[in-house]
Structure formats: C-alpha cells, structure tokens
Amino acid sequence: MAFRSERLGALAAFLVAGTVLFAGLGAVPLMQPDEGRNAEVAREMAASGSWLVPTLEGNPYLDKPAAYFAAVAVSLEALGTNEWGARMPSALFGLAILACLYAFARRFYDGATAAFVVISVATMPLFIAFSRIVIMDIALALCTSVAILAAFVAEAGATPDRRWHRVSAAAVGAGMLVKGPVGALVPGLVLIAFFWTSGRPRALRRVFSPLNFVIVLGLFLPWFFALVHAHPEFFHYGVVEESLNRFFTKTFNRGQPFWFFGPVFIATTMPWTILMAPLTVLAWRERKRLQPPDRLFILWTIVVLVFFSLSRTKQPGYILSGVIAAGVLVGRGLGAARASRAILGAALALAVVTLLGALALTLVARRGFGEKQAWLDLVWPQLVCALLVMALLGLLAWRSRRPGYAAASFATLQIALFTVAFPGARAYASTRSVKSLAEALAPLPRTTEIAAFESYPAGLSFYLGRTLTLVDDDAAALRSNFVTYWLKRQTTPPPALVSSSARGAWLAARTGDLVVVAPDAERDRLAGWLGDRAPVHRIAAGWSGAFRPAGGR
C-alpha cells in the first residue's frame, strides 16, 4: 500500500500541491519582463474597462488574445493591485489542472496512483514556475488538458458519450481565446495520434464533428471579428505574423536548433528525470501490456515535443502540456507494482546524486557564490539540509521498498524552495524586478510625469498605478511584436512615445514635474541628452534617473 487510505493519499498530494502553488505567492516581486508586462496589461484593462482590446502603456497590445488578461484583471479587482492578485489566476489554473488529473487517474487507474500523479505533476519545475508567475501558458495548458482528457473519456465506454466531446470542443475554443490557434492544434494532433494508432479512426469523426467545429468557432470567431473591426490590421498580424511566421520563420528572434527542447525537457522535469529514464525502459519492454490511458500520455508527451521542435520559434513554456503528460506517466509508474524495481533503483540513484550535490554546494558556499548568485548566501544551509533529507528518503525507499518514500524524496527540494528556503527565492526575484525602483518613486506626487529612456522597466507602471512615457524611437523596449507592427502603420506616433527627432521639443513642452529613468547602462546617454537641465543620479539598484521640477529648463 502506498498510502494507508485513499483519503490520506489525496490529502497529502494536495497539501504538497497547495504548498508549491500558493506559499508566498504574493511575497515575491514581479519579475521582468513577462510578469511586469502582463500584469500591467491586466491593470490597464481593469482601469479602463477595455475588455476587447488590451493595452500596454496605452498602446494596443494584441500579441495574445484578451482572455487571460481579463482573468487577471478580475483578480486585481477582487484582491487588489498587488502581486497576490496578479498571480492568483495562474495558481488557480494550475490547481484546476491537478484536480482534473486526479479525477482522471482515479477513474482509470486507482486512488493511490491519482495521488502520485498530483505529487509528480505539481512538483515538476516547469509546472511550478508557470503556475506561480503572471503568464498565460498555464491557462493554455489547462484548456489543452481538458480538451484531450474529455475526448478520451468520451470514447472510453462501450458507447461514445458525445457530451464529453462537447466539453472537449469548448476547452479548445477557450484555449484559442487564451493563445490563438495553438489552442486547437495541440489537442487535435494528440487526439489524431492516439485514436489513429489505437486503430479507432472512426472516433476522430466524433472528435471533429461539425457540431464541435461550431462550438469552437462560436467561442473564438466573435472575439476575432470584433477585434478585426476595432483594428483591421490585426487580421494580417494574427493570421500571418503571429501564427504562420512564428512557426515557420525566425521573425520573432527566438530561433533555436531542432534539439532545443530535449535539454529543456530534461532540465524542467528534474529531479523526476532520474525516475523517467528507467520507467521509459520499462514502458518499452511492457509496451504490449500498456493500457489506453498510458498510451495517451506517452503520445501526448511525444507529439508536444516533436511539434514544437519543428517550429522555428521556441520558448521553454511551449512544452508545458507535454511536461504535464510526462508527470502523469511518472505518477503512473509510482502507482504500478511492476515498476517497483525501477523506482527503487531511481530512488537510490537520487540519494547518491543529492549527497554529492549537498557536498558540492557546501564546498562552493565556503568559497562564496559571487555577486550574481548572492541570493544563495541566504539559503544554502537550508538547501543542503533539503538535499540530505532527499538522500535519506531515497535510501528509505530503497530499503523499505515503499514508493511513497520515493515520491517524497523527489518532491522534497521543490517543497523546501517555498518553505524553509523561500527567502532565497524572494531575493532572486528581487534581482529581476523593478519594485525597488517603484518604491523609490512612490513618494512623488501623482501629477509627476514619469518617462523611461531607451528602456522599459516592466512592472513599474503596475506598481505606481499609472502609465509611462517612452523616450524610444520604435518602442522595441516594450518587447511587443504587435506594438512594433502597429507603429509602422501609424502616420502619427502616439503621444506616449517620444522619438529621437521629437525629444527636444517634448522636453521643452513639459510644464510639470518630470522624472526620467534609465538602466545604469544607459546613464551616460541619458546625461548626454539632458545636459545641465537635470542632473542624473542613482535611484535604485540598477537604475539611474533625473528629476526636473515644474518650470525647469
């Protein structure tokens, strides 16, 4: 028995999940660039009530559909404009994924396996990261998971249940509202691969029935056409630039080699990767005895990795749903009696690796971590202790032959990061956040205009509750492909964007208090532009700026 009772197993699993998803969720500052940018888009949406057209610093931000930003905007209205409110939707989406996986595994496997599935998925590093930051990938992963699981359930009985196919179609439509066509492509490819290789091509007729298409398009097209009506240029951008060029070209400057996701997958599933290797060998040997759910999750993982490897644009978050599927397979292995030998061997290997890791970390700590890793100085003793606990639990699993100890050993480090070692996580995030800059500027009157010189301090607007003026030729610092695309088609630049040729006139026209900020790397260029009109000085870590009072020349 893995747990004394099914209820105890579920309680332990969701206690682990709750810890890694919610512990200290609002105590970590928003990180640049994605969190600060996405949180600001949601803040502007909540402030303006523009639910159709998201904006970033007042510019239309149509890089992604509005659904996720709307969810964050609602959360900000309910919980306040703070880190907790900004991150809560992602954490809830992550929790919803785990609940769906638990229910699915409990139905098609057993209660103990379902608990192991929750623990393994919840402690996958990529899953944790995207469930705790302000980014839409976890919402897309929820829609993808529901779409695939619902279609499987629909065909699992003696008679197909078309109601579950409708649920699947609705999830696909929701996924498209979160992140566009990829919300339909990934579930579609996974289901085609599964039903075709299972010798059930007729099931695909029900998956892709006309009514399901109506449901998907009925959810997606009203938003799409309304947006095209408001911004006609979005049709070409959304279809050609954001979809086709992102997949087939390096237009988005994120081109990576074909094998990119191999190392990413290994790194973002550690330390569970140590267990995946023997389980993969076992699955191959037992391939004729695999159950349909096993084959589903195996194909799900493979399809996601291959599909996004073919894309010319690659980001780690693209394979999130594949990592989730792999996590289910790990949980399945922990709950399967035939996998016990592989699990025990992996637990022993983990014990050896963590003992060596504890020794290495101690030796490095004695020499010092350096300025860039100074946050480790706060928590290295806790991390060493966590590694030793992992080793002890791994040895207990090997000696007692209990998979519960193995699961605990693989999950210990992730739990430690959000409990005893949490100050380190907070310190690391602070090195990638503009919150200290916001705190330095917070005492200024709200009438003070704040401008960013040749940069975009993502998150500053969110913390200050107001938009910025960008002293930048093309707004490239916003890192918004749509804003760049949109600006090229405007005859008159927006008032919040100041080009090189207009900077002198713009500065002369400022009649109120003005603060211009820039990264320390741009300090000399900022001082050269302002001259003797305003002295430049250090404002916060990594940031310099100048204050020009009202009436200054």
Side-chain angles (χ1 to χ4, degrees):
M1 294 292 291
F3 298 99
R4 292 183 179 179
S5 70
E6 182 178 319
R7 183 174 297 179
L8 181 61
L11 178 62
F14 281 98
L15 180 61
V16 170
T19 300
V20 298
L21 292 181
F22 295 98
L25 190 65
V28 177
L30 298 177
M31 292 183 287
Q32 296 192 87
D34 292 329
E35 276 206 293
R37 181 177 59 242
N38 293 336
E40 173 57 17
V41 172
R43 186 198 70 80
E44 291 182 32
M45 179 179 283
S48 66
S50 177
W51 302 97
L52 176 64
V53 181
T55 60
L56 177 61
E57 305 303 338
N59 304 296
Y61 183 77
L62 306 182
D63 296 60
K64 297 294 183 291
Y68 177 77
F69 300 119
V72 178
V74 170
S75 180
L76 295 176
E77 292 280 9
L79 301 177
T81 305
N82 50 51
E83 295 95 342
W84 181 260
R87 294 193 178 110
M88 180 58 70
S90 291
L92 292 177
F93 289 138
L95 183 63
I97 291 173
L98 297 176
C100 291
L101 294 176
Y102 180 84
F104 183 91
R106 187 172 180 272
R107 174 173 175 175
F108 292 100
Y109 296 128
D110 54 65
T113 299
F116 283 134
V117 164
V118 170
I119 292 172
S120 58
V121 174
T123 54
M124 290 284 174
L126 193 68
F127 179 84
I128 295 173
F130 282 90
S131 295
R132 292 183 62 94
I133 63 175
V134 190
I135 201 164
M136 65 283 300
D137 296 74
I138 193 67
L140 175 64
L142 172 61
C143 297
T144 300
S145 300
V146 171
I148 294 171
L149 297 178
F152 180 92
V153 172
E155 298 291 329
T159 303
D161 189 342
R162 295 180 183 272
R163 293 173 298 178
W164 282 106
H165 280 305
R166 310 298 176 250
V167 173
S168 178
V172 168
M176 293 182 68
L177 288 175
V178 170
K179 214 171 181 182
V182 71
L185 284 173
V186 172
L189 291 173
V190 171
L191 294 173
I192 289 172
F194 173 71
F195 286 118
W196 191 268
T197 57
S198 299
R200 303 176 62 189
R202 290 187 177 182
L204 294 174
R205 297 180 183 178
R206 293 182 286 273
V207 171
F208 298 105
S209 70
L211 181 55
N212 286 352
F213 273 102
V214 169
I215 293 172
V216 172
L217 297 178
L219 288 171
F220 179 73
L221 289 182
W223 165 82
F224 181 79
F225 286 129
L227 199 56
V228 169
H229 182 266
H231 285 273
E233 68 274 18
F234 178 73
F235 184 87
H236 179 269
Y237 176 82
V239 174
V240 177
E241 299 291 333
E242 181 66 23
S243 299
L244 298 178
N245 284 351
R246 180 179 288 274
F247 189 86
F248 292 108
T249 73
K250 296 183 179 180
T251 303
F252 288 80
N253 296 318
R254 293 168 183 165
Q256 298 289 349
F258 177 82
W259 48 262
F260 173 76
F261 284 119
V264 169
F265 180 81
I266 293 172
T268 57
T269 56
M270 287 294 289
W272 293 105
T273 317
I274 297 173
L275 180 53
M276 284 183 193
L279 288 178
T280 300
V281 173
L282 179 63
W284 176 253
R285 291 175 179 172
E286 301 280 342
R287 58 189 181 277
K288 293 183 179 180
R289 302 174 61 180
L290 293 175
Q291 297 180 18
D294 303 331
R295 294 197 300 271
L296 172 70
F297 291 111
I298 291 172
L299 286 169
W300 184 346
T301 304
I302 294 172
V303 166
V304 168
L305 290 174
V306 172
F307 174 72
F308 287 110
S309 293
L310 293 172
S311 172
R312 298 295 297 274
T313 302
K314 297 178 176 70
Q315 289 277 60
Y318 291 0
I319 63 168
L320 176 58
S321 73
V323 168
I324 290 171
V328 175
L329 292 170
V330 170
R332 165 64 167 152
L334 286 166
R338 293 194 306 276
S340 59
R341 184 174 297 180
I343 293 169
L344 299 178
L348 181 60
L350 179 67
V352 173
V353 169
T354 50
L355 283 173
L356 294 175
L359 177 61
L361 184 58
T362 302
L363 293 176
V364 173
R366 294 183 65 180
R367 299 177 182 177
F369 293 102
E371 184 177 352
K372 291 185 177 180
Q373 285 80 37
W375 57 275
L376 282 169
D377 288 323
L378 298 173
V379 293
W380 73 265
Q382 296 94 312
L383 293 178
V384 168
C385 289
L387 291 172
L388 294 176
V389 170
M390 291 175 69
L392 176 61
L393 290 170
L395 292 172
L396 284 174
W398 180 65
R399 290 293 301 274
S400 66
R401 299 182 178 275
R402 295 187 63 177
Y405 284 130
S409 66
F410 281 96
T412 293
L413 181 61
Q414 296 89 310
I415 295 171
L417 288 174
F418 300 103
T419 52
V420 295
F422 185 72
R426 185 165 49 205
Y428 170 76
S430 297
T431 65
R432 299 186 55 192
S433 176
V434 298
K435 188 169 185 178
S436 61
L437 175 63
E439 291 172 342
L441 298 177
L444 295 173
R446 291 193 61 83
T447 55
T448 303
E449 183 176 2
I450 300 176
F453 177 80
E454 298 288 347
S455 63
Y456 180 56
L460 182 60
S461 302
F462 178 85
Y463 284 118
L464 296 179
R466 58 181 122 165
T467 57
L468 307 178
T469 299
L470 297 181
V471 183
D472 190 8
D473 283 328
D474 55 7
L478 289 177
R479 298 181 66 172
S480 166
N481 297 306
F482 179 80
V483 171
T484 301
Y485 178 88
W486 173 73
L487 285 173
K488 291 178 180 178
R489 287 151 180 81
Q490 303 302 304
T491 56
T492 304
L497 179 64
V498 183
S499 63
S500 299
S501 60
R503 290 176 187 177
W506 174 82
L507 188 60
R510 302 302 96 189
T511 58
D513 292 343
L514 170 68
V515 171
V516 184
V517 300
D520 286 343
E522 300 291 336
R523 177 172 180 168
D524 291 342
R525 293 184 61 201
L526 176 61
W529 170 48
L530 294 176
D532 59 359
R533 289 170 289 191
V536 177
H537 60 278
R538 188 81 176 277
I539 298 179
W543 291 91
S544 299
F547 174 74
R548 200 194 73 162
R553 297 293 180 186

